Every structure is written in C-alpha cells, then in structure tokens.
C-alpha cells in the first residue's frame, strides 16, 4: 500500500475543503471524477483508491453544514429518487455478501476480480470474489455522492455551485482530450504520468485507421466516450435552451467533435441515439411553442445537413471508401474480432447466470458483462433491477416543475446527461457501477430547489435564463 503524488494532491485539496467549505469541496471533487486512470492510493494488488473517492471522504464533512436537510428527507421518502437508490444499495450490498455463498456453484461466471480459483481468466464456479467487496464500496460511494449533491443542490447557492462544477467537468474533459492528442503526437505522453498511474491495463497509444484513439484522462477510449456523452448531453441541452450559449455552444460542439474523432465504437453507437433524443426534445418544444431560435434552427437544419452529407459521401467514391473502411474497422470488424466475440460471450454467459440463479442474481460484483442492463440483471437479479428501474423512472420520467426558468433548464440538461451516460453504459458497460459523474448529474436533475429560486417572476426568470448561476435581486428579495 502506498500513497501516490495524486493522492498527496487530493489530500491537500481535502484539507483545504475542510477549511473553505462546500463551495471549494464541490469545485475540487467534481473535476476529480475525470481522473479515471489515476490512483491516489495503491493497495498493493488489491485495487486502488481513486482521487475522486478519496476526495468524497473530505467533501462530506466539508459540506455538512450547507446541506438542505429538509430536501434530503424529501428525497428519501417513497417514491422519490433517494428512496429507490437507498433500497437498491442496501439490497445489493447484502446480496454481494450472501448470494455468492448461498448459491455457490450454481452457475459458472466470468468473475470480476480474483476468486478462490485465482485471477479470473475463464469461467469459474460462482463463489465470493474480490469484486463483491470493491463493487459494494463503489455502490455505497455512489449513494453517498448522490445524497450529498442532492442535499447541497436543495439550496440556491449549492445548486449554482454544482452547475458550475459540472460545467468545469465538461470543459476539463475537452482539455484532457486535447492534451492527450498533443502529447501523443509530440512524444511527450510521459507528462500524463501522474494521472495515469493506476494498476490497470492502459490503452493509451493505439492508432486506428490513422487516427489516435482518444482516451483523455481515462484508461481507454470507451471510458472517454462514456464521460463525453454525459458532457455532450449537459452542454447541448443548455445551449439549445438558450442558457449562456457563448459558453455551452463551444462545449457541446467540441464534445461532439471529439466523440466523432475518438474511434470509439461506444461513441459511434450511442452518440446518434443521444442526438436523436435531443432532436425529439426540440420537436416537443416546438409543438409547445417553447423552442428558442437556436433550437429551431438546429431542428430544421440538422436533418438537411445530415442528408446532404450522406448524399455527398455516396456520390464521391473516395469519401465513400474512406467512410466504409473506417466503419468496417471500428464497428463491423470489431464485432467479429476476438475482443468483440469475447464481449458478446460475456453477455450470453451473464444472461445464463441470471437464469441459473432463479432471477436472484449472482451478487453485486460477481459477474462481468458487456452491457449495463445485462450486468445489472446478472449481478443483482430481478429485485435489484426493479429497484434501480424505479430510480431511473423517477429520475428521467418525472414531470419537471412548470416553471421554464434556469433551474428547469439545468435540470433538463442533467437528465439528458444521465441519458447519454446510460446509453454509453448500455453499449459497453461491463459492471453495475455507473460511476460518480452519473450520480452527480442525477442529483442535479432530481434536486428540489427552494421555491424562491425555482419559481420566479417573469422578469426574474428572464434574468435567470441569461445567467443561471446568479440569483436575481427580485428572487433574493422574495
């Protein structure tokens, strides 16, 4: 066990957060979730503690006095989001302890982590694995993160701080991607050493069809694409809702460009689905006469531009061949590659595990899959799947407040970010853990902000749309 340079920096940030309070804690904690390839503490072969998880331990006491306890209690009541997530976490944590033992040998699994049969390289009989412990810890951390951020966002100041922190998340993700490309082409990738020190297998030097696979601050391009899908959903929704377009338009367009250049099959499958959801939302707003001029332009022009681009590609042989070669290399050939066949087999085996365990699941952290819904069913069974589905229904489908001001716009953007992350996880997610960023976005989407900010007079609402992180004077007076 040893603390790394990233851990020392995180400890310093944590101590400052204890001194400076919730604003600094959020500003440090949220961007640290981008460091997916970094280890704050190496546990000597038993895993790592990432900087964001270490910082979460400081963020809770640092923000304790700023929590909206009434809003937290409301979230925990049935049938609100906090209730479902607590029920899911308690049930799956107990399942991680009991199910691998009660159902030992009932099925053969692609295990997460080490087992009694050693490192999992092939199917092994169901039994306790190191993944049961690590995934349970991640699940508890996700719950703590969600409740902390939701309680902070219940106050106007906390809501603004969380929105700002997530905006920094989007911008820094782009910055890391550009640095990844720059350091690769200038042979200075060693500069990423302090944030690429985790004891995972890193895929940071791969080139496909002449393009460097973008990994940013993560371990592989699929992880980068997953994070960027959330950033795209958040920034694009705010831009098209008319919220600070000079800020969010570049963030959205750069995120989309990086997904296009990433060479990630996750990006190429999930991004069109996310954009389709965004266009569908714009169409709904158009029918309700709530669409902005920018949103109307995007709704009208994007289909025309896509049709023109497709026609141009089909008519120009060189362009057609280049696109065909790229898609073949990144999607079709990959599906038939050893990696693609292995991942497909993971899903087949995981579905069989769910059947062999009579729908109870093998226990959180037992089974590796290649799609989040399959992993959820195989690990947590029908009970866990129903509980998490309840959380998602409340999160994504609950009708927003009738006010269409800044709070509602940010809430909708956070929901679209969650949808983008879910799409990415559905394409290639190997485990049940969706990561801390998902639950930060979910907290912002489900936060119940004090009515003084959520319901504003018409004049105050217009000011809020122009600058959503500034509480108008009229609102403060109310």
């Amino acid at each position: 066990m040893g603390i790394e340079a990233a851990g020392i920096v995180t400890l310093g940030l944590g101590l400052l957060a204890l001194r400076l309070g919730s604003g600094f804690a959020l500003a440090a904690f949220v961007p640290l979730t981008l460091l997916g390839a970094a280890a704050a503490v190496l546990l000597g072969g038993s895993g790592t503690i990432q900087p964001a998880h270490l910082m979460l331990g400081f963020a809770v006491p640092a923000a304790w006095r700023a929590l909206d306890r009434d809003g937290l209690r409301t979230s925990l009541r049935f049938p609100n989001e906090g209730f479902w997530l607590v029920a899911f976490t308690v049930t799956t944590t107990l399942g991680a302890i009991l199910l691998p033992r009660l159902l030992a040998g009932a099925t053969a699994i692609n295990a997460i982590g080490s087992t009694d049969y050693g490192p999992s390289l092939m199917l092994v009989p169901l039994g306790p694995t190191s993944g049961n412990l690590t995934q349970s810890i991640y699940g508890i951390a996700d719950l703590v993160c969600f409740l902390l951020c939701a309680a902070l966002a219940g106050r106007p100041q906390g809501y603004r701080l969380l929105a700002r922190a997530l905006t920094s998340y989007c911008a820094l993700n782009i910055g890391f991607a550009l640095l990844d490309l720059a350091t690769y082409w200038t042979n200075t990738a060693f500069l990423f050493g302090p944030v690429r020190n985790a004891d995972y297998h890193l895929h940071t030097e791969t080139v496909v069809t002449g393009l460097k696979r973008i990994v940013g601050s993560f371990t592989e391009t699929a992880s980068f694409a997953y994070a960027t899908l959330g950033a795209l959903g958040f920034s694009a929704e705010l831009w098209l809702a008319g919220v600070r377009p000079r800020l969010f338009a570049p963030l959205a367009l750069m995120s989309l460009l990086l997904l296009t250049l990433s060479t990630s099959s996750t990006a190429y499958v999930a991004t069109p689905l996310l954009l389709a959801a965004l266009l569908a939302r714009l169409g709904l707003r158009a029918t309700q006469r709530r669409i902005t001029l920018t949103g109307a332009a995007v709704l009208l022009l994007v289909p025309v531009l896509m049709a023109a681009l497709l026609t141009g590609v089909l008519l120009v042989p060189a362009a057609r061949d280049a696109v065909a070669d790229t898609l073949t290399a990144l999607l079709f050939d990959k599906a038939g590659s050893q990696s693609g066949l292995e991942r497909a087999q993971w899903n087949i085996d995981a579905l069989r595990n769910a059947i062999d365990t009579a729908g109870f699941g093998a226990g959180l952290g037992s089974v590796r899959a290649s799609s989040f819904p399959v992993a959820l069913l195989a690990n947590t069974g029908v009970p866990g799947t129903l509980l998490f589905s309840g959380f998602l229904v409340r999160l994504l489908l609950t009708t927003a407040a009738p006010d269409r001001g800044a709070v509602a716009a940010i809430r909708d953007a956070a929901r679209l970010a969650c949808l983008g992350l879910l799409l990415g996880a559905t394409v290639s997610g190997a485990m049940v853990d969706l990561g801390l960023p998902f639950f930060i976005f979910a907290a912002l989407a489900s936060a119940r902000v004090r009515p003084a900010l959520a319901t504003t007079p018409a004049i105050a609402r217009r000011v809020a749309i122009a600058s959503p992180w500034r509480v108008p004077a009229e609102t403060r007076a109310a």
Side-chain angles (χ1 to χ4, degrees), residues 174-241:
I174 293 171
F176 278 125
L178 296 177
L179 283 173
D180 176 38
L181 292 173
T183 56
Y184 175 81
W185 294 114
T186 58
N187 294 317
T188 55
F190 63 89
L191 296 175
F192 264 102
V195 293
R196 287 179 179 166
N197 63 323
D199 54 358
Y200 312 132
H201 185 59
L202 303 181
H203 302 271
T204 60
E205 303 291 327
T206 309
V207 176
V208 177
T209 65
L211 294 175
K212 195 268 183 191
R213 307 199 80 183
I214 302 174
V215 299
S217 54
F218 297 92
T219 58
E220 59 179 353
T221 187
S223 299
F224 167 77
Y226 176 74
T228 308
L229 285 164
L232 174 61
F234 185 70
S235 53
E237 174 68 19
L238 286 173
W239 168 38
L240 297 177

Side-chain angles (χ1 to χ4, degrees), residues 268-348:
Y268 295 158
V269 174
T271 303
L273 297 176
L274 180 60
L275 294 178
L278 185 61
L279 290 176
R281 289 179 59 82
L282 290 176
L284 179 61
R285 286 180 187 163
T287 63
Q288 298 171 345
R289 298 182 180 181
R290 295 190 293 104
I291 194 168
T292 64
L293 182 60
T294 302
V298 169
L299 183 62
L300 292 173
L301 293 177
V302 166
V304 175
L305 292 175
M306 292 301 296
L309 179 62
L310 179 60
T311 302
V313 168
L314 293 176
L315 292 178
V316 180
R320 183 176 64 245
D321 293 343
V323 171
D325 291 345
T326 301
L327 292 178
T328 299
L330 298 177
L331 293 179
F332 307 126
D333 285 352
K334 184 172 182 179
S337 66
Q338 180 178 356
S339 174
L341 294 173
E342 181 182 44
R343 288 179 172 274
Q345 189 62 46
W346 286 355
N347 283 337
I348 294 171

